Short mmCIF file of all heavy atoms in Angstrom, two decimals:
data_model
loop_
_atom_site.label_atom_id
_atom_site.label_comp_id
_atom_site.label_asym_id
_atom_site.label_seq_id
_atom_site.Cartn_x
_atom_site.Cartn_y
_atom_site.Cartn_z
N MET A 1 195.30 8.28 -89.71
CA MET A 1 196.70 8.08 -89.38
C MET A 1 197.52 8.19 -90.65
O MET A 1 197.16 7.64 -91.67
CB MET A 1 196.91 6.68 -88.78
CG MET A 1 196.25 6.45 -87.45
SD MET A 1 196.46 4.77 -86.81
CE MET A 1 198.21 4.70 -86.55
N ASP A 2 198.60 8.90 -90.56
CA ASP A 2 199.49 9.04 -91.70
C ASP A 2 200.73 8.18 -91.45
O ASP A 2 201.67 8.61 -90.79
CB ASP A 2 199.87 10.50 -91.89
CG ASP A 2 200.73 10.72 -93.11
OD1 ASP A 2 200.67 9.88 -94.02
OD2 ASP A 2 201.45 11.72 -93.15
N ILE A 3 200.70 6.94 -91.96
CA ILE A 3 201.78 5.99 -91.71
C ILE A 3 202.21 5.38 -93.03
O ILE A 3 201.37 5.00 -93.85
CB ILE A 3 201.31 4.87 -90.76
CG1 ILE A 3 200.95 5.48 -89.41
CG2 ILE A 3 202.37 3.80 -90.61
CD1 ILE A 3 200.37 4.50 -88.45
N SER A 4 203.52 5.29 -93.22
CA SER A 4 204.01 4.62 -94.42
C SER A 4 205.19 3.74 -94.03
O SER A 4 206.32 4.20 -93.94
CB SER A 4 204.42 5.64 -95.49
OG SER A 4 205.40 6.51 -94.97
N TYR A 5 204.90 2.48 -93.72
CA TYR A 5 205.91 1.49 -93.40
C TYR A 5 206.01 0.53 -94.58
O TYR A 5 205.01 0.24 -95.24
CB TYR A 5 205.55 0.67 -92.16
CG TYR A 5 205.57 1.42 -90.86
CD1 TYR A 5 204.61 1.18 -89.89
CD2 TYR A 5 206.56 2.33 -90.57
CE1 TYR A 5 204.63 1.83 -88.68
CE2 TYR A 5 206.59 2.99 -89.35
CZ TYR A 5 205.62 2.74 -88.42
OH TYR A 5 205.65 3.39 -87.21
N GLU A 6 207.20 -0.01 -94.80
CA GLU A 6 207.40 -1.06 -95.78
C GLU A 6 207.90 -2.29 -95.05
O GLU A 6 208.55 -2.19 -94.02
CB GLU A 6 208.43 -0.64 -96.83
CG GLU A 6 207.96 0.49 -97.72
CD GLU A 6 208.97 0.84 -98.78
OE1 GLU A 6 209.94 0.09 -98.98
OE2 GLU A 6 208.79 1.88 -99.43
N GLY A 7 207.58 -3.47 -95.57
CA GLY A 7 208.03 -4.71 -94.94
C GLY A 7 206.98 -5.25 -94.00
O GLY A 7 205.79 -5.10 -94.21
N LYS A 8 207.43 -5.89 -92.92
CA LYS A 8 206.53 -6.50 -91.95
C LYS A 8 205.87 -5.43 -91.09
O LYS A 8 206.54 -4.55 -90.56
CB LYS A 8 207.27 -7.47 -91.04
CG LYS A 8 207.77 -8.71 -91.74
CD LYS A 8 208.38 -9.65 -90.75
CE LYS A 8 208.86 -10.91 -91.45
NZ LYS A 8 209.36 -11.91 -90.49
N VAL A 9 204.55 -5.53 -90.96
CA VAL A 9 203.78 -4.57 -90.18
C VAL A 9 202.82 -5.36 -89.29
O VAL A 9 202.18 -6.31 -89.74
CB VAL A 9 202.99 -3.61 -91.09
CG1 VAL A 9 202.13 -2.67 -90.28
CG2 VAL A 9 203.93 -2.82 -91.98
N TYR A 10 202.74 -4.95 -88.03
CA TYR A 10 201.81 -5.55 -87.07
C TYR A 10 200.78 -4.49 -86.71
O TYR A 10 201.14 -3.36 -86.35
CB TYR A 10 202.57 -6.01 -85.83
CG TYR A 10 201.69 -6.52 -84.72
CD1 TYR A 10 201.14 -7.80 -84.78
CD2 TYR A 10 201.43 -5.74 -83.59
CE1 TYR A 10 200.35 -8.28 -83.76
CE2 TYR A 10 200.64 -6.22 -82.57
CZ TYR A 10 200.09 -7.48 -82.66
OH TYR A 10 199.30 -7.96 -81.64
N ILE A 11 199.49 -4.83 -86.82
CA ILE A 11 198.42 -3.89 -86.51
C ILE A 11 197.56 -4.48 -85.40
O ILE A 11 197.08 -5.61 -85.51
CB ILE A 11 197.56 -3.60 -87.75
CG1 ILE A 11 198.42 -3.00 -88.85
CG2 ILE A 11 196.39 -2.67 -87.38
CD1 ILE A 11 197.71 -2.86 -90.18
N LEU A 12 197.36 -3.69 -84.33
CA LEU A 12 196.52 -4.11 -83.22
C LEU A 12 195.46 -3.04 -83.02
O LEU A 12 195.78 -1.85 -82.89
CB LEU A 12 197.35 -4.27 -81.94
CG LEU A 12 196.57 -4.61 -80.68
CD1 LEU A 12 195.92 -5.99 -80.80
CD2 LEU A 12 197.48 -4.55 -79.47
N ILE A 13 194.20 -3.46 -83.00
CA ILE A 13 193.09 -2.53 -82.77
C ILE A 13 192.40 -2.97 -81.49
O ILE A 13 191.94 -4.10 -81.37
CB ILE A 13 192.08 -2.54 -83.94
CG1 ILE A 13 192.79 -2.17 -85.24
CG2 ILE A 13 190.92 -1.59 -83.64
CD1 ILE A 13 191.94 -2.37 -86.48
N THR A 14 192.35 -2.05 -80.52
CA THR A 14 191.69 -2.31 -79.25
C THR A 14 190.43 -1.46 -79.19
O THR A 14 190.50 -0.25 -79.40
CB THR A 14 192.62 -1.95 -78.07
OG1 THR A 14 193.83 -2.68 -78.20
CG2 THR A 14 191.97 -2.28 -76.74
N GLU A 15 189.28 -2.09 -78.90
CA GLU A 15 188.01 -1.37 -78.85
C GLU A 15 187.40 -1.49 -77.47
O GLU A 15 187.43 -2.55 -76.85
CB GLU A 15 187.03 -1.96 -79.87
CG GLU A 15 187.48 -1.82 -81.31
CD GLU A 15 186.51 -2.47 -82.26
OE1 GLU A 15 186.06 -3.62 -81.99
OE2 GLU A 15 186.19 -1.85 -83.27
N PHE A 16 186.87 -0.38 -76.97
CA PHE A 16 186.11 -0.39 -75.73
C PHE A 16 185.17 0.81 -75.76
O PHE A 16 185.54 1.88 -76.23
CB PHE A 16 187.03 -0.34 -74.50
CG PHE A 16 187.97 0.84 -74.47
CD1 PHE A 16 187.62 1.98 -73.77
CD2 PHE A 16 189.16 0.80 -75.16
CE1 PHE A 16 188.48 3.06 -73.75
CE2 PHE A 16 190.03 1.88 -75.13
CZ PHE A 16 189.69 3.02 -74.42
N GLU A 17 183.94 0.59 -75.28
CA GLU A 17 182.92 1.63 -75.32
C GLU A 17 182.87 2.22 -76.73
O GLU A 17 182.75 1.50 -77.69
CB GLU A 17 183.21 2.70 -74.26
CG GLU A 17 183.28 2.17 -72.86
CD GLU A 17 181.98 2.26 -72.10
OE1 GLU A 17 181.15 3.12 -72.43
OE2 GLU A 17 181.81 1.47 -71.16
N ASP A 18 183.00 3.54 -76.85
CA ASP A 18 183.00 4.22 -78.15
C ASP A 18 184.41 4.58 -78.60
O ASP A 18 184.60 5.45 -79.45
CB ASP A 18 182.17 5.51 -78.09
CG ASP A 18 180.69 5.24 -77.92
OD1 ASP A 18 180.24 4.12 -78.26
OD2 ASP A 18 179.97 6.14 -77.43
N TYR A 19 185.42 3.92 -78.02
CA TYR A 19 186.81 4.24 -78.31
C TYR A 19 187.49 3.12 -79.09
O TYR A 19 187.14 1.95 -78.93
CB TYR A 19 187.60 4.49 -77.02
CG TYR A 19 187.19 5.72 -76.28
CD1 TYR A 19 186.15 5.68 -75.35
CD2 TYR A 19 187.82 6.94 -76.51
CE1 TYR A 19 185.76 6.82 -74.67
CE2 TYR A 19 187.44 8.08 -75.83
CZ TYR A 19 186.41 8.01 -74.91
OH TYR A 19 186.03 9.14 -74.24
N GLU A 20 188.47 3.50 -79.90
CA GLU A 20 189.33 2.53 -80.60
C GLU A 20 190.76 3.04 -80.51
O GLU A 20 191.02 4.23 -80.73
CB GLU A 20 188.94 2.40 -82.07
CG GLU A 20 187.58 1.81 -82.29
CD GLU A 20 187.22 1.75 -83.76
OE1 GLU A 20 187.64 2.66 -84.51
OE2 GLU A 20 186.53 0.82 -84.16
N ILE A 21 191.69 2.15 -80.17
CA ILE A 21 193.12 2.48 -80.17
C ILE A 21 193.76 1.66 -81.27
O ILE A 21 193.63 0.44 -81.29
CB ILE A 21 193.78 2.15 -78.82
CG1 ILE A 21 193.15 2.97 -77.69
CG2 ILE A 21 195.29 2.43 -78.89
CD1 ILE A 21 193.66 2.60 -76.31
N PHE A 22 194.43 2.34 -82.18
CA PHE A 22 195.14 1.68 -83.27
C PHE A 22 196.64 1.73 -82.98
O PHE A 22 197.18 2.80 -82.71
CB PHE A 22 194.88 2.38 -84.61
CG PHE A 22 193.50 2.15 -85.15
CD1 PHE A 22 192.40 2.80 -84.60
CD2 PHE A 22 193.31 1.29 -86.21
CE1 PHE A 22 191.13 2.59 -85.10
CE2 PHE A 22 192.04 1.07 -86.72
CZ PHE A 22 190.95 1.72 -86.17
N GLU A 23 197.28 0.58 -83.02
CA GLU A 23 198.73 0.49 -82.90
C GLU A 23 199.25 -0.13 -84.19
O GLU A 23 198.83 -1.21 -84.57
CB GLU A 23 199.13 -0.39 -81.72
CG GLU A 23 200.62 -0.62 -81.62
CD GLU A 23 201.00 -1.59 -80.51
OE1 GLU A 23 200.14 -1.95 -79.70
OE2 GLU A 23 202.17 -1.99 -80.49
N VAL A 24 200.15 0.57 -84.86
CA VAL A 24 200.77 0.06 -86.09
C VAL A 24 202.27 0.01 -85.83
O VAL A 24 202.89 1.01 -85.52
CB VAL A 24 200.45 0.96 -87.30
CG1 VAL A 24 201.08 0.40 -88.56
CG2 VAL A 24 198.95 1.11 -87.46
N THR A 25 202.84 -1.19 -85.93
CA THR A 25 204.24 -1.41 -85.59
C THR A 25 205.01 -1.92 -86.81
O THR A 25 204.55 -2.84 -87.48
CB THR A 25 204.36 -2.44 -84.44
OG1 THR A 25 203.56 -2.00 -83.35
CG2 THR A 25 205.79 -2.58 -83.98
N SER A 26 206.15 -1.32 -87.06
CA SER A 26 207.04 -1.75 -88.13
C SER A 26 208.05 -2.73 -87.53
O SER A 26 208.65 -2.45 -86.48
CB SER A 26 207.77 -0.55 -88.73
OG SER A 26 208.73 -0.96 -89.66
N LEU A 27 208.24 -3.89 -88.18
CA LEU A 27 209.12 -4.94 -87.69
C LEU A 27 210.21 -5.25 -88.71
O LEU A 27 209.98 -5.14 -89.91
CB LEU A 27 208.33 -6.22 -87.41
CG LEU A 27 207.10 -6.08 -86.51
CD1 LEU A 27 206.27 -7.35 -86.56
CD2 LEU A 27 207.52 -5.76 -85.10
N ASP A 28 211.37 -5.68 -88.21
CA ASP A 28 212.40 -6.14 -89.15
C ASP A 28 212.14 -7.60 -89.50
O ASP A 28 211.13 -8.17 -89.10
CB ASP A 28 213.81 -5.89 -88.61
CG ASP A 28 214.17 -6.74 -87.41
OD1 ASP A 28 213.39 -7.64 -87.03
OD2 ASP A 28 215.25 -6.50 -86.82
N GLU A 29 213.05 -8.22 -90.21
CA GLU A 29 212.86 -9.59 -90.70
C GLU A 29 212.69 -10.62 -89.58
O GLU A 29 212.05 -11.65 -89.76
CB GLU A 29 214.05 -10.02 -91.58
CG GLU A 29 214.26 -9.18 -92.82
CD GLU A 29 214.98 -7.88 -92.50
OE1 GLU A 29 215.77 -7.82 -91.53
OE2 GLU A 29 214.75 -6.90 -93.23
N ILE A 30 213.29 -10.36 -88.41
CA ILE A 30 213.20 -11.34 -87.31
C ILE A 30 212.17 -10.95 -86.25
O ILE A 30 212.05 -11.60 -85.22
CB ILE A 30 214.57 -11.59 -86.66
CG1 ILE A 30 215.15 -10.29 -86.08
CG2 ILE A 30 215.53 -12.22 -87.65
CD1 ILE A 30 216.41 -10.51 -85.25
N GLY A 31 211.43 -9.87 -86.50
CA GLY A 31 210.35 -9.48 -85.60
C GLY A 31 210.71 -8.43 -84.56
O GLY A 31 209.92 -8.16 -83.66
N THR A 32 211.88 -7.83 -84.67
CA THR A 32 212.26 -6.75 -83.75
C THR A 32 211.49 -5.49 -84.11
O THR A 32 211.39 -5.13 -85.29
CB THR A 32 213.78 -6.48 -83.83
OG1 THR A 32 214.49 -7.69 -83.57
CG2 THR A 32 214.20 -5.42 -82.84
N ILE A 33 210.95 -4.81 -83.11
CA ILE A 33 210.19 -3.59 -83.35
C ILE A 33 211.13 -2.47 -83.78
O ILE A 33 212.09 -2.15 -83.08
CB ILE A 33 209.40 -3.17 -82.09
CG1 ILE A 33 208.36 -4.24 -81.77
CG2 ILE A 33 208.75 -1.81 -82.28
CD1 ILE A 33 207.63 -4.00 -80.45
N LEU A 34 210.83 -1.87 -84.93
CA LEU A 34 211.62 -0.75 -85.43
C LEU A 34 210.97 0.59 -85.08
O LEU A 34 211.65 1.55 -84.76
CB LEU A 34 211.77 -0.86 -86.95
CG LEU A 34 212.46 -2.12 -87.46
CD1 LEU A 34 212.42 -2.16 -88.98
CD2 LEU A 34 213.89 -2.19 -86.95
N ASP A 35 209.64 0.64 -85.15
CA ASP A 35 208.91 1.87 -84.87
C ASP A 35 207.46 1.52 -84.60
O ASP A 35 206.96 0.50 -85.09
CB ASP A 35 209.02 2.83 -86.06
CG ASP A 35 208.51 4.23 -85.75
OD1 ASP A 35 208.57 4.63 -84.57
OD2 ASP A 35 208.05 4.91 -86.68
N ALA A 36 206.78 2.34 -83.82
CA ALA A 36 205.36 2.14 -83.54
C ALA A 36 204.65 3.48 -83.54
O ALA A 36 205.20 4.48 -83.07
CB ALA A 36 205.17 1.43 -82.21
N LYS A 37 203.45 3.49 -84.07
CA LYS A 37 202.61 4.69 -84.09
C LYS A 37 201.25 4.32 -83.51
O LYS A 37 200.78 3.18 -83.66
CB LYS A 37 202.40 5.20 -85.53
CG LYS A 37 203.66 5.49 -86.28
CD LYS A 37 204.09 6.90 -86.08
CE LYS A 37 205.28 7.15 -87.00
NZ LYS A 37 206.04 8.26 -86.65
N TYR A 38 200.61 5.30 -82.86
CA TYR A 38 199.33 5.07 -82.21
C TYR A 38 198.34 6.15 -82.60
O TYR A 38 198.73 7.29 -82.87
CB TYR A 38 199.50 5.10 -80.68
CG TYR A 38 200.46 4.07 -80.17
CD1 TYR A 38 201.82 4.34 -80.09
CD2 TYR A 38 200.01 2.82 -79.79
CE1 TYR A 38 202.71 3.38 -79.64
CE2 TYR A 38 200.90 1.87 -79.33
CZ TYR A 38 202.23 2.15 -79.25
OH TYR A 38 203.12 1.20 -78.81
N ALA A 39 197.07 5.79 -82.59
CA ALA A 39 195.99 6.75 -82.79
C ALA A 39 194.80 6.30 -81.96
O ALA A 39 194.56 5.10 -81.79
CB ALA A 39 195.58 6.84 -84.26
N VAL A 40 194.09 7.28 -81.41
CA VAL A 40 192.91 6.99 -80.59
C VAL A 40 191.73 7.70 -81.23
O VAL A 40 191.81 8.89 -81.57
CB VAL A 40 193.10 7.46 -79.13
CG1 VAL A 40 191.85 7.17 -78.32
CG2 VAL A 40 194.33 6.81 -78.50
N PHE A 41 190.64 6.96 -81.39
CA PHE A 41 189.42 7.51 -81.96
C PHE A 41 188.29 7.38 -80.95
O PHE A 41 188.19 6.37 -80.23
CB PHE A 41 189.02 6.74 -83.22
CG PHE A 41 189.95 6.96 -84.37
CD1 PHE A 41 191.12 6.21 -84.49
CD2 PHE A 41 189.67 7.91 -85.34
CE1 PHE A 41 191.98 6.40 -85.56
CE2 PHE A 41 190.53 8.11 -86.41
CZ PHE A 41 191.68 7.36 -86.52
N HIS A 42 187.46 8.40 -80.87
CA HIS A 42 186.23 8.35 -80.08
C HIS A 42 185.09 8.54 -81.06
O HIS A 42 184.96 9.61 -81.68
CB HIS A 42 186.20 9.45 -79.01
CG HIS A 42 184.98 9.41 -78.17
ND1 HIS A 42 184.06 10.42 -78.17
CD2 HIS A 42 184.52 8.46 -77.32
CE1 HIS A 42 183.08 10.11 -77.34
NE2 HIS A 42 183.34 8.92 -76.81
N GLY A 43 184.31 7.49 -81.24
CA GLY A 43 183.31 7.52 -82.31
C GLY A 43 184.05 7.55 -83.64
O GLY A 43 184.92 6.74 -83.90
N GLU A 44 183.77 8.51 -84.45
CA GLU A 44 184.44 8.66 -85.74
C GLU A 44 185.54 9.72 -85.70
O GLU A 44 186.19 9.98 -86.70
CB GLU A 44 183.42 9.04 -86.83
CG GLU A 44 182.34 8.01 -87.04
CD GLU A 44 182.89 6.73 -87.66
OE1 GLU A 44 183.78 6.82 -88.53
OE2 GLU A 44 182.42 5.66 -87.27
N GLU A 45 185.75 10.34 -84.54
CA GLU A 45 186.69 11.46 -84.44
C GLU A 45 188.04 11.01 -83.87
O GLU A 45 188.11 10.37 -82.82
CB GLU A 45 186.10 12.53 -83.52
CG GLU A 45 186.96 13.75 -83.38
CD GLU A 45 186.34 14.78 -82.45
OE1 GLU A 45 185.13 14.72 -82.21
OE2 GLU A 45 187.08 15.65 -81.97
N LYS A 46 189.11 11.37 -84.57
CA LYS A 46 190.46 11.08 -84.08
C LYS A 46 190.82 12.08 -83.00
O LYS A 46 190.69 13.30 -83.21
CB LYS A 46 191.48 11.14 -85.22
CG LYS A 46 192.88 10.81 -84.78
CD LYS A 46 193.86 10.89 -85.93
CE LYS A 46 195.27 10.64 -85.43
NZ LYS A 46 196.26 10.96 -86.44
N LEU A 47 191.25 11.59 -81.85
CA LEU A 47 191.63 12.47 -80.76
C LEU A 47 193.06 12.96 -80.97
O LEU A 47 193.91 12.23 -81.46
CB LEU A 47 191.52 11.74 -79.42
CG LEU A 47 190.14 11.15 -79.10
CD1 LEU A 47 190.17 10.47 -77.75
CD2 LEU A 47 189.08 12.22 -79.12
N THR A 48 193.32 14.21 -80.57
CA THR A 48 194.66 14.75 -80.72
C THR A 48 195.55 14.21 -79.60
O THR A 48 195.11 14.07 -78.46
CB THR A 48 194.65 16.29 -80.67
OG1 THR A 48 194.06 16.71 -79.45
CG2 THR A 48 193.90 16.87 -81.84
N MET A 49 196.79 13.88 -79.96
CA MET A 49 197.76 13.35 -79.01
C MET A 49 199.11 13.99 -79.30
O MET A 49 199.34 14.46 -80.41
CB MET A 49 197.90 11.83 -79.15
CG MET A 49 196.64 11.06 -78.90
SD MET A 49 196.86 9.26 -78.90
CE MET A 49 198.08 8.94 -80.11
N LYS A 50 199.98 13.96 -78.31
CA LYS A 50 201.34 14.43 -78.52
C LYS A 50 202.04 13.49 -79.49
O LYS A 50 201.74 12.30 -79.54
CB LYS A 50 202.11 14.45 -77.21
CG LYS A 50 201.60 15.47 -76.23
CD LYS A 50 202.44 15.46 -74.98
CE LYS A 50 201.93 16.48 -74.00
NZ LYS A 50 202.75 16.54 -72.78
N ASN A 51 202.98 14.04 -80.27
CA ASN A 51 203.76 13.21 -81.18
C ASN A 51 204.58 12.20 -80.39
O ASN A 51 205.03 12.48 -79.29
CB ASN A 51 204.71 14.06 -82.02
CG ASN A 51 203.95 14.87 -83.05
OD1 ASN A 51 202.85 14.53 -83.43
ND2 ASN A 51 204.55 15.96 -83.50
N ASN A 52 204.77 11.02 -80.96
CA ASN A 52 205.57 9.95 -80.37
C ASN A 52 205.03 9.46 -79.03
O ASN A 52 205.79 8.96 -78.20
CB ASN A 52 207.04 10.38 -80.21
CG ASN A 52 207.65 10.74 -81.54
OD1 ASN A 52 207.38 10.10 -82.55
ND2 ASN A 52 208.44 11.77 -81.56
N LEU A 53 203.74 9.62 -78.78
CA LEU A 53 203.14 9.12 -77.56
C LEU A 53 203.11 7.59 -77.62
O LEU A 53 202.63 7.01 -78.59
CB LEU A 53 201.72 9.67 -77.40
CG LEU A 53 200.99 9.29 -76.13
CD1 LEU A 53 201.72 9.88 -74.92
CD2 LEU A 53 199.57 9.80 -76.17
N ASP A 54 203.64 6.94 -76.60
CA ASP A 54 203.73 5.47 -76.56
C ASP A 54 202.60 4.94 -75.69
O ASP A 54 202.59 5.16 -74.48
CB ASP A 54 205.09 5.04 -76.01
CG ASP A 54 205.28 3.55 -76.01
OD1 ASP A 54 204.34 2.80 -76.37
OD2 ASP A 54 206.37 3.11 -75.63
N LEU A 55 201.66 4.23 -76.30
CA LEU A 55 200.53 3.66 -75.56
C LEU A 55 200.69 2.16 -75.34
O LEU A 55 199.76 1.49 -74.92
CB LEU A 55 199.23 3.92 -76.34
CG LEU A 55 198.89 5.39 -76.58
CD1 LEU A 55 197.61 5.49 -77.41
CD2 LEU A 55 198.74 6.14 -75.27
N SER A 56 201.87 1.62 -75.58
CA SER A 56 202.05 0.17 -75.51
C SER A 56 201.92 -0.40 -74.11
O SER A 56 201.66 -1.58 -73.95
CB SER A 56 203.42 -0.22 -76.09
OG SER A 56 204.46 0.34 -75.30
N SER A 57 202.07 0.43 -73.08
CA SER A 57 202.00 -0.10 -71.71
C SER A 57 200.59 -0.08 -71.14
O SER A 57 200.37 -0.52 -70.01
CB SER A 57 202.94 0.69 -70.80
OG SER A 57 202.54 2.04 -70.73
N ILE A 58 199.60 0.39 -71.89
CA ILE A 58 198.22 0.39 -71.39
C ILE A 58 197.72 -1.05 -71.36
O ILE A 58 197.73 -1.76 -72.35
CB ILE A 58 197.30 1.25 -72.27
CG1 ILE A 58 197.69 2.71 -72.15
CG2 ILE A 58 195.84 1.05 -71.88
CD1 ILE A 58 196.88 3.63 -73.01
N ARG A 59 197.30 -1.49 -70.18
CA ARG A 59 196.79 -2.85 -70.02
C ARG A 59 195.32 -2.88 -69.65
O ARG A 59 194.61 -3.84 -69.90
CB ARG A 59 197.59 -3.61 -68.95
CG ARG A 59 199.04 -3.80 -69.32
CD ARG A 59 199.16 -4.78 -70.51
NE ARG A 59 200.54 -4.89 -70.94
CZ ARG A 59 201.03 -4.41 -72.06
NH1 ARG A 59 200.26 -3.76 -72.88
NH2 ARG A 59 202.29 -4.57 -72.38
N SER A 60 194.83 -1.82 -68.99
CA SER A 60 193.42 -1.74 -68.65
C SER A 60 192.98 -0.29 -68.66
O SER A 60 193.78 0.62 -68.49
CB SER A 60 193.16 -2.37 -67.27
OG SER A 60 193.86 -1.64 -66.27
N VAL A 61 191.69 -0.10 -68.88
CA VAL A 61 191.10 1.24 -68.94
C VAL A 61 189.92 1.26 -67.99
O VAL A 61 189.12 0.32 -67.97
CB VAL A 61 190.64 1.57 -70.38
CG1 VAL A 61 189.95 2.91 -70.42
CG2 VAL A 61 191.81 1.51 -71.34
N HIS A 62 189.84 2.31 -67.19
CA HIS A 62 188.75 2.45 -66.24
C HIS A 62 187.95 3.69 -66.60
O HIS A 62 188.52 4.73 -66.93
CB HIS A 62 189.28 2.59 -64.82
CG HIS A 62 190.10 1.42 -64.39
ND1 HIS A 62 189.54 0.30 -63.83
CD2 HIS A 62 191.43 1.18 -64.49
CE1 HIS A 62 190.50 -0.57 -63.57
NE2 HIS A 62 191.66 -0.07 -63.98
N LYS A 63 186.64 3.58 -66.53
CA LYS A 63 185.79 4.70 -66.85
C LYS A 63 185.27 5.31 -65.56
O LYS A 63 184.76 4.62 -64.69
CB LYS A 63 184.60 4.22 -67.71
CG LYS A 63 183.68 5.32 -68.14
CD LYS A 63 182.59 4.76 -69.04
CE LYS A 63 181.64 5.85 -69.48
NZ LYS A 63 180.58 5.31 -70.34
N HIS A 64 185.45 6.63 -65.43
CA HIS A 64 184.96 7.36 -64.26
C HIS A 64 183.55 7.84 -64.55
O HIS A 64 183.31 8.54 -65.54
CB HIS A 64 185.87 8.54 -63.93
CG HIS A 64 185.39 9.36 -62.79
ND1 HIS A 64 185.45 8.93 -61.48
CD2 HIS A 64 184.81 10.59 -62.75
CE1 HIS A 64 184.95 9.85 -60.71
NE2 HIS A 64 184.56 10.87 -61.45
N ILE A 65 182.61 7.49 -63.70
CA ILE A 65 181.22 7.89 -63.87
C ILE A 65 180.88 8.88 -62.77
O ILE A 65 181.01 8.58 -61.58
CB ILE A 65 180.26 6.69 -63.83
CG1 ILE A 65 180.63 5.70 -64.93
CG2 ILE A 65 178.82 7.15 -63.95
CD1 ILE A 65 179.86 4.40 -64.89
N LYS A 66 180.45 10.09 -63.17
CA LYS A 66 180.04 11.09 -62.17
C LYS A 66 178.65 10.75 -61.67
O LYS A 66 177.79 10.32 -62.43
CB LYS A 66 180.06 12.47 -62.80
CG LYS A 66 181.43 12.97 -63.16
CD LYS A 66 181.35 14.37 -63.69
CE LYS A 66 182.72 14.89 -64.03
NZ LYS A 66 182.68 16.28 -64.49
N ASN A 67 178.43 10.98 -60.38
CA ASN A 67 177.09 10.72 -59.78
C ASN A 67 176.19 11.88 -59.99
O ASN A 67 176.46 12.98 -60.09
CB ASN A 67 177.23 10.44 -58.30
CG ASN A 67 177.92 9.11 -58.08
OD1 ASN A 67 177.93 8.27 -58.94
ND2 ASN A 67 178.51 8.97 -56.91
#
């Protein structure tokens, strides 16, 4: 991830199976979100995503298993 924030930063890492979602949020002095960036990794590989993709509303992930 190429991120350069100054000041207050909130980092959330969500892990499931072989995946990791990184959320890095820039905050002002009172905690208001100024900007957020996301990255998704599968194993050691960063998955490609559209720019400015907002993953903050993801609450659950379901895995589809083929029979």
Side-chain angles (χ1 to χ4, degrees):
M1 294 177 66
D2 184 23
I3 297 175
S4 58
Y5 291 141
E6 292 183 11
K8 292 185 179 185
V9 177
Y10 174 77
I11 300 172
L12 176 65
I13 302 170
T14 303
E15 297 178 314
F16 57 96
E17 302 266 335
D18 292 337
Y19 292 88
E20 294 178 326
I21 299 174
F22 287 75
E23 175 185 350
V24 181
T25 306
S26 174
L27 308 168
D28 68 7
E29 299 80 28
I30 60 172
T32 304
I33 296 174
L34 301 174
D35 191 28
K37 304 270 187 199
Y38 301 87
V40 179
F41 292 84
H42 181 245
E44 299 292 322
E45 182 180 342
K46 182 180 176 191
L47 303 181
T48 57
M49 299 186 325
K50 293 182 180 182
N51 289 337
N52 300 322
L53 184 64
D54 183 357
L55 300 177
S56 64
S57 63
I58 293 178
R59 296 292 176 251
S60 62
V61 176
H62 301 273
K63 182 177 180 180
H64 177 73
I65 301 173
K66 293 183 179 183
N67 292 338

